[in-house]
Amino acid sequence: MRQLTALALAAALALPLAAPAMAEEARVPMINVTGTGTVEAAPDIATLSIGVTTQGETAVAALAANSAAMEAVMARLTAAGVEARDMQTSNLSVNPNWTGYDSGTPAISGYVAANLLTVTIRDLAGLGPVLDAAVQDGANTLNGLSFGVADPDPLLDEARKEAVADARARAELLAAAAGVKLGRILSISEGAPEGGPVPMYKAELAAAPVPVAAGAMDVAASVTIFYEIAE
């Protein structure tokens, strides 16, 4: 009992000492700003989702036809300079083809096999010929084409610098408008990236050779800074 009483007394004595420090920190006048920075860059890689869809009377037949066509597509991509590490199977499926829903007695009428391949193109000058070659060898599904940069870190660093400078300019403007002086930085936090770099491009698929324009892309960053208002 005496030990509990002593602990309670110690806590009661310590609380008044800690409370003023916390209250003092909470009373610090601050300016809170968020700055953004954007760097425009030319893409140097492309990611292509291309595939083969085949039909057969049986699942085995559909899959065999699909495998043969995909092997031809991959061989042509390799001949066009695409390395093995830049080709990855992203989806493989075999499903029954149901018919007869209108009559009320659905039945399986063959099977459909689909194989999707994600391809990274590191030479954008050869993107059009690669697309053309893949389609000629049996690829009949194009699920997407996007552009990016192989090493975005230097671009992100530049965007971060611009974001900090933007935040500083905003804080100085607010301080001047309020008739106060900007003090030291209390904290800096970086905003979460919103889906990464956003490419802006135009891809026109037509007869060979396929014309593709990579355009430009924006790499953005944001920071939130708390400044102390100087006395």
Side-chain angles (χ1 to χ4, degrees):
M1 180 64 71
R2 290 181 178 178
Q3 184 177 5
L4 292 175
T5 303
L7 290 174
L9 180 59
L13 292 174
L15 188 59
L17 296 177
M22 296 176 61
E24 181 67 24
E25 183 178 353
R27 289 198 300 267
V28 173
M30 296 180 295
I31 293 179
N32 174 18
V33 291
T34 297
T36 59
T38 303
V39 176
E40 185 178 282
D44 56 11
I45 61 171
T47 301
L48 173 68
S49 179
I50 198 167
V52 175
T53 300
T54 55
Q55 295 183 351
E57 293 184 0
T58 65
V60 173
L63 185 58
N66 190 281
S67 298
M70 182 55 77
E71 286 179 1
V73 170
M74 293 178 67
R76 181 59 69 94
L77 291 174
T78 300
V82 179
E83 299 181 16
R85 66 187 178 98
D86 291 330
M87 293 185 286
Q88 184 178 47
T89 299
S90 54
N91 184 50
L92 176 62
S93 63
V94 180
N95 295 296
N97 183 28
W98 291 92
T99 59
Y101 284 102
D102 295 339
S103 63
T105 56
I108 296 176
S109 177
Y111 289 81
V112 178
N115 192 344
L116 288 178
L117 189 69
T118 299
V119 184
T120 300
I121 309 297
R122 302 184 186 277
D123 179 14
L124 294 187
L127 178 57
V130 166
L131 279 169
D132 178 49
V135 171
Q136 287 186 12
D137 277 331
N140 52 17
T141 303
L142 179 59
N143 277 12
L145 175 63
S146 61
F147 294 91
V149 289
D151 185 13
D153 289 342
L155 297 173
L156 284 170
D157 288 344
E158 289 300 318
R160 292 182 181 111
K161 292 178 182 179
E162 289 191 7
V164 171
D166 181 52
R168 177 75 186 188
R170 290 171 184 263
E172 290 176 346
L173 177 64
L174 292 175
V180 297
K181 293 182 179 180
L182 206 59
R184 62 192 176 96
I185 294 177
L186 299 176
S187 71
I188 301 177
S189 61
E190 184 175 9
E194 299 179 357
V198 179
M200 300 179 294
Y201 65 90
K202 178 182 179 183
E204 300 174 355
L205 303 182
V210 180
V212 179
M217 61 183 298
D218 290 338
V219 179
S222 67
V223 296
T224 298
I225 303 180
F226 284 81
Y227 287 94
E228 181 182 16
I229 296 177
E231 295 294 336

